Amino acid sequence: MNFHLDARLEQDTLPAGRLELCEIHLLNDARWPWLVLVPQRSDCSEIFDLNDDEQLQLARETALISKVLQKLTEAEKINTGALGNIVRQLHVHVIARFENDANWPGPVWGFGVAEPYSKVAASRLISQLQSEMKSHVF
Amino acid sequence: MNFHLDARLEQDTLPAGRLELCEIHLLNDARWPWLVLVPQRSDCSEIFDLNDDEQLQLARETALISKVLQKLTEAEKINTGALGNIVRQLHVHVIARFENDANWPGPVWGFGVAEPYSKVAASRLISQLQSEMKSHVF
C-alpha cells in the first residue's frame, strides 16, 4: 500500500493506533484531547474522494473514536471536522471540548500555540485511548 | 415526527431543501457558500446519538451535499464539521472555501460578522443548489 503520512501531520502528532481504514494520531497539544483520523489512502483530499464503502467506514471509525474520546474525557461536546485548507491529505479531527477550555465555544483550529504533552502525559493518554478502543465492539 | 429546527438555526439560515434524513439550510452569510444539514431527529447532539443506519445516511447526505457544493462553486476546498458548542441540536456544516476568502486558511466558525444575502442572490443560489441536487443520482 502506497500510503505515507503527510509530513506536517507527522510532525504535529503522536501515533495512537490503527483501525481498518484509518491511522489514529494524537495531536501533540495538551490544550485539548484531540485525535486525527487519517484514511490510509493516497491522493484523497475530500471525503467524497474515497469510494462509497470507504466513506461509510470512515463514518463508522469517526463515530467510534468520538465515543471513545467522549467516554474517556467526559467532554461537554465532541467537535469533528475535515478542513484540509493547509494539509491536503484527507484527515478528520475529533476533539473533546469543555466549557472552560482554551477557546470555548469557538473552534480550535488555528487558535494560539500548541502546548506539547510531556512524554509521560502523552504515553498515559495514548495508553488509555487504546485500552478504551479495545473495549468497544467494532 | 416531533422535530423542530433550533431557533438559532432558524434565524441564521434559509431553507434550501430536504433529503431522506436531513433538512438542508443555507447559512445567510454571503462571505462563504455554506450549507447546514440538520438530521430530522430530536434529542441528538452528537453524530453517535443517531442510530447506526442514520449515521451512515448522514455520511451519504453530507458527501452528496459536499459534491454538489464543490461542483457549483468550484471551491478550492470543502470544509465539513459538526461542532455544536453553541447550538446543541445536531447539525453538520458544509462550506465552500477559496484561497481569497474572508478567513482562509483559518476556520469560518465565529469569524467576524455575517453578511446577509440579498433576496435575489439567496434565491438564485438556492435555486442553483436544488437544480444540482436533482441532477445527482442518490
Side-chain angles (χ1 to χ4, degrees), chain B residues 8-82:
Chain B
R8 170 76 181 265
L9 290 175
E10 175 88 39
Q11 175 187 302
D12 293 348
T13 67
L14 302 163
R18 190 183 299 264
L19 295 170
E20 184 180 318
L21 177 63
C22 294
E23 292 186 354
I24 313 299
H25 295 266
L26 173 68
L27 200 80
N28 193 8
D29 185 347
R31 295 176 300 170
W32 298 283
W34 181 339
L35 295 168
V36 182
L37 288 79
V38 188
Q40 299 165 77
R41 296 291 179 271
S42 297
D43 302 323
C44 289
S45 63
E46 301 286 358
I47 291 172
F48 57 75
D49 292 336
L50 297 170
N51 70 36
D52 289 354
D53 287 346
E54 290 167 342
Q55 288 179 33
L56 298 184
Q57 184 62 19
L58 177 60
R60 288 186 199 99
E61 295 185 4
T62 304
L64 171 75
I65 292 298
S66 298
K67 276 190 279 194
V68 161
L69 196 62
Q70 162 68 31
K71 186 169 178 197
L72 193 65
T73 65
E74 300 182 344
E76 175 69 19
K77 190 70 190 65
I78 296 294
N79 288 181
T80 63

Side-chain angles (χ1 to χ4, degrees), chain A residues 45-46 48 55-56 59-60 63 66-67 76-86 88 97 104-107 109, chain B residues 45-46 48 55-56 59-60 63 66-67 76-86 88 97 104-107 109:
Chain A
S45 63
E46 302 285 359
F48 57 75
Q55 287 178 34
L56 298 185
R60 287 185 201 100
S66 298
K67 277 189 279 193
E76 175 69 21
K77 190 70 191 64
I78 296 294
N79 289 181
T80 64
L83 286 76
N85 304 335
I86 296 171
R88 288 303 166 93
R97 302 298 308 272
W104 179 269
W109 299 281
Chain B
S45 63
E46 301 286 358
F48 57 75
Q55 288 179 33
L56 298 184
R60 288 186 199 99
S66 298
K67 276 190 279 194
E76 175 69 19
K77 190 70 190 65
I78 296 294
N79 288 181
T80 63
L83 286 75
N85 304 335
I86 297 170
R88 289 300 165 93
R97 303 299 308 270
W104 179 268
W109 300 281

Side-chain angles (χ1 to χ4, degrees), chain A:
Chain A
M1 182 165 48
N2 186 27
F3 170 77
H4 297 286
L5 186 65
D6 172 271
R8 171 75 181 264
L9 290 176
E10 175 87 39
Q11 176 187 302
D12 294 347
T13 67
L14 301 163
R18 189 184 300 266
L19 296 170
E20 185 181 318
L21 177 63
C22 294
E23 291 185 355
I24 313 299
H25 295 265
L26 173 68
L27 200 79
N28 193 8
D29 186 346
R31 295 176 300 169
W32 299 281
W34 179 340
L35 295 168
V36 182
L37 287 80
V38 189
Q40 299 167 75
R41 295 291 179 270
S42 299
D43 302 325
C44 289
S45 63
E46 302 285 359
I47 291 172
F48 57 75
D49 292 337
L50 297 170
N51 71 35
D52 289 355
D53 287 345
E54 291 166 342
Q55 287 178 34
L56 298 185
Q57 185 62 17
L58 177 60
R60 287 185 201 100
E61 295 186 4
T62 304
L64 171 74
I65 293 298
S66 298
K67 277 189 279 193
V68 162
L69 197 61
Q70 162 67 32
K71 186 167 177 199
L72 194 63
T73 65
E74 300 182 342
E76 175 69 21
K77 190 70 191 64
I78 296 294
N79 289 181
T80 64
L83 286 76
N85 304 335
I86 296 171
V87 170
R88 288 303 166 93
Q89 183 174 70
L90 178 59
H91 59 288
V92 176
H93 303 270
V94 178
I95 308 130
R97 302 298 308 272
F98 303 87
E99 291 192 357
N100 61 352
D101 77 24
N103 198 34
W104 179 269
V108 296
W109 299 281
F111 180 80
V113 177
E115 297 175 6
Y117 288 99
S118 70
K119 280 191 180 175
V120 170
S123 173
R124 188 172 52 218
L125 180 51
I126 289 169
S127 170
Q128 289 171 326
L129 283 165
Q130 291 181 334
S131 171
E132 194 64 48
M133 281 166 65
K134 276 181 198 149
S135 78
H136 275 71
V137 176
F138 186 52

